[in-house]
């Protein structure tokens, strides 16, 4: 296809080859017109592989493929295991990009990266010299070749997604009017529900942007995002995809860049690309902030945030606004200050969408998509709604902002239970208008009387889900969204956590939150069970499930309950028994829908949403 898989017996050789390729491509591209340049991503992993004739596969290869997809165009990403092997052997410094959960891999993968700008500073390695050195090393290792293959190094080289189609277009760029017509036609085909005026206005605005520019589309949200004035076309593509995904809460596709329009696929749209920086949840690192310009990362309060005194927080807007608050009186005050400064920034007033909390202390929390503080309110003898007296003033006057500040907390104690009930009912009615009134009222009544930390979510347009008895607000939020998505099969909308109700979005489209554990379909891992308590994850039969020999199956209910069947039976019988025990669960007593098949053998199948056995054969004789 658009890439290649290489196997090496030495990780030093593998990374040396990767650096030589990327450095050589930089030199080659200097002599090639920009519209015909090719840009690669390279992922390197060391691990076990399976050899079958001329093919190799296995987890070692799968991780290399995931590393390649996480890599920036022109860069190299390597696994933690590979980095340990070369750390003291090569004069290269790979940046720690944190732990990432990747598709079909049960464990988190430690990722280290080398940026294209760092590679550009290296001397170019003559290809002949590289071949001679590799051959000499191979000769010295030849007697150990058979052993080395058992834990080989897999390198996945791929054309940077979205780059290959630039090769096919003509060298003569279209006129501005021609570009507008092409883009309008592409919008009509990929987003047929949009109006002619929207398509014409969007196309004209894109053509007026400075080079390098790019425009991305969100299919589900039926929206677009555009940006311009970037150093290269590749960077413009990367930034517009990050901004689009952050705004619309879904992976987007590049529709056009500079003077070219991407070809449409069979489904009427260009390829969708998921952007890893939008999912990052590790320690704060300015390089991991999505969609921002280099000058924003280099601002003193951002570059020095990790070592700044706390309590502290950062807020981020999809347009690239990033605001920090440090040394605040409390963690909640820091989060309020950061969000207020971001939402009141003059540059945000004409930009769609609210600001989100990006970091709380040094922990990145952007995937929570919280438009309000997540730290609890501390008791105070003064008015709880008044901001701390030491809070710095917002960057712009707070009077009559053109876009609402996305901080909407309705404290239960201040306005009273009746006011909270009215506000929650109104919000639930807006998000899920088709839910029967009796069901909505029962859900809200149960929510009000729930103990400890609690949360409520909605599945538009007709359903809702509730979680309670959690240890902290974050756990309640995570559990309700995971349980809701597991129950209904698609991401849900967060409505309220404890006594804080989510703010209505300016565009009227309530954001859905996809939860990775509800979509996980790798090997059975207790940590990947959605909406589960820690006690369930540590339950002996759950913790030892992978170690069980023979036939086995697991069934799951979105309340966070799981039932396991194993022993001397057929696979179909195991699946039937697990589902039967789950559906007969006495504490649940048939409430909240049927159970789903969670695992067949060691393979998680929850996303298939099967409420009956998946393995063929006659039903078990009762």
């Amino acid at each position: 296809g658009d890439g290649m898989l290489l196997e090496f017996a030495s990780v030093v050789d593998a990374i040396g080859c990767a650096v030589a390729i990327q450095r050589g491509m930089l030199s080659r591209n200097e002599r090639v017109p920009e519209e015909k340049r090719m840009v690669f991503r390279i992922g390197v992993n060391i691990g076990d592989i399976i050899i079958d004739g001329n093919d190799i596969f296995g987890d070692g290869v799968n991780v290399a493929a995931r590393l390649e997809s996480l890599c920036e165009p022109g860069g190299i990403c390597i696994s933690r295991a590979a980095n340990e092997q070369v750390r003291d052997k090569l004069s290269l410094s790979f940046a720690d990009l944190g732990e990432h959960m990747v598709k079909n891999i049960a464990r988190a993968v430690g990722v280290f990266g080398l940026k294209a700008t760092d590679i550009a500073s290296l001397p170019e390695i003559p290809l002949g010299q590289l071949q001679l050195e590799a051959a000499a090393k191979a000769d010295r290792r030849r007697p150990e070749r058979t052993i080395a293959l058992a834990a080989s190094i897999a390198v996945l080289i791929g054309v940077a997604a979205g780059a290959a189609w630039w090769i096919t277009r003509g060298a003569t760029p279209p006129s501005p009017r021609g570009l507008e017509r092409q883009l309008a036609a592409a919008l009509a085909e990929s987003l047929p529900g949009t109006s002619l005026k929207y398509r014409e206005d969007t196309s004209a605005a894109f053509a007026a942007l400075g080079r390098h520019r790019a425009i991305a589309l969100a299919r589900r949200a039926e929206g677009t995002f555009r940006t311009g004035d970037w150093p290269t076309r590749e960077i413009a593509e990367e930034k517009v995809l990050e901004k689009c995904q952050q705004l619309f809460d879904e992976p987007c596709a590049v529709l056009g860049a500079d003077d070219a329009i991407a070809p449409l696929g069979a489904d009427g749209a260009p390829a969708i690309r998921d952007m890893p920086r939008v999912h990052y949840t590790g320690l704060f690192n300015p390089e991991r902030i999505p969609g921002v310009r280099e000058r924003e990362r280099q601002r003193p309060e951002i570059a020095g945030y990790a070592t700044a005194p706390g309590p502290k927080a950062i807020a981020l807007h999809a347009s690239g606004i990033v605001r920090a608050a440090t040394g605040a009186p409390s963690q909640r005050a820091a989060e309020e200050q950061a969000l207020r400064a971001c939402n009141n920034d003059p540059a945000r007033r004409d930009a769609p969408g609210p600001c989100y909390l990006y970091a709380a202390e040094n922990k990145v929390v952007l995937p929570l998509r919280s438009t309000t503080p997540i730290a609890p309110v501390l008791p105070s003898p003064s008015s709880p709604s008044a901001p701390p007296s030491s809070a710095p003033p917002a960057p712009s006057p707070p009077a009559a902002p053109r876009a609402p500040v996305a901080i909407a907390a309705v404290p239960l104690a201040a306005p009273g239970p009746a006011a909270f009930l009215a506000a929650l009912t109104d919000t639930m009615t807006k998000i899920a208008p088709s839910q029967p009134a009796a069901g909505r009222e029962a859900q809200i009544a149960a929510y009000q009387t729930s103990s400890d930390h609690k949360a409520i979510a909605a599945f538009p347009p007709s359903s809702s889900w509730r979680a309670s008895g959690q240890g902290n607000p974050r756990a309640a939020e995570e559990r309700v969204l995971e349980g809701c998505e597991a129950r209904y099969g698609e991401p849900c909308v967060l409505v309220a956590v404890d006594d804080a109700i989510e703010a209505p979005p300016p565009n009227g489209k309530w954001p859905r939150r996809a939860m990775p554990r509800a979509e996980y379909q790798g090997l059975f891992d207790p940590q990947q069970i959605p909406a589960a308590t820690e006690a369930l994850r540590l339950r002996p039969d759950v913790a030892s499930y992978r170690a069980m020999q023979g036939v086995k199956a697991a069934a799951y209910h979105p309340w966070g309950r799981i039932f396991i069947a194993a022993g001397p039976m057929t696979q179909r019988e195991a699946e039937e028994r697990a589902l039967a025990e789950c559906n007969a669960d006495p504490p649940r007593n048939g409430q909240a829908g049927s159970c789903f098949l969670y695992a067949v053998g060691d393979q998680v199948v929850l996303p298939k949403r099967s409420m009956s056995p998946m393995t063929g054969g006659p039903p078990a004789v009762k």
Side-chain angles (χ1 to χ4, degrees), residues 3-8 43 55-57 60-61 64-65 153-157:
M4 64 184 73
L5 175 67
L6 307 177
E7 177 263 333
F8 292 79
D55 196 11
I56 63 174
F57 52 93
V61 173
I153 295 88
V155 178
L156 202 293
I157 303 176

Side-chain angles (χ1 to χ4, degrees), residues 53-139:
N54 292 326
D55 196 11
I56 63 174
F57 52 93
D59 275 358
V61 173
N62 293 339
V63 171
R66 304 307 172 208
L67 290 168
E68 181 264 318
S69 66
L70 291 171
C71 195
E72 71 169 34
I76 301 168
C77 277
I78 67 176
S79 64
R80 184 178 300 279
N83 188 63
E84 290 294 328
Q85 293 287 327
V86 302
R87 187 170 53 188
D88 301 320
K89 299 176 183 177
L90 293 176
S91 57
L92 300 172
S93 180
F94 285 83
D96 188 346
L97 303 183
E99 301 285 327
H100 292 259
M101 292 303 302
V102 297
K103 185 177 179 182
N104 294 333
I105 302 297
R107 65 196 180 281
V109 176
V111 181
F112 290 76
L114 193 64
K115 298 190 297 184
T117 51
D118 295 330
I119 295 172
S121 65
L122 299 173
E124 185 169 357
I125 304 172
L127 187 58
Q129 176 185 330
L130 181 73
Q131 292 171 331
L132 289 172
E133 291 178 356
K137 292 177 182 177
D139 287 340

Side-chain angles (χ1 to χ4, degrees), residues 575-595:
E575 296 167 25
E576 288 176 335
R577 181 178 299 180
L579 285 164
E581 292 179 2
C582 183
N583 284 312
D585 182 16
R588 191 166 58 84
N589 195 26
Q591 299 178 70
S594 299
C595 293

Side-chain angles (χ1 to χ4, degrees), residues 8 17 20 49 81 145 202 237 269 428 431 460 471 610 620:
F8 292 79
C17 178
I49 62 173
R145 176 65 172 172
T202 299
E237 288 185 54
M428 292 279 289
I431 300 175
S610 177

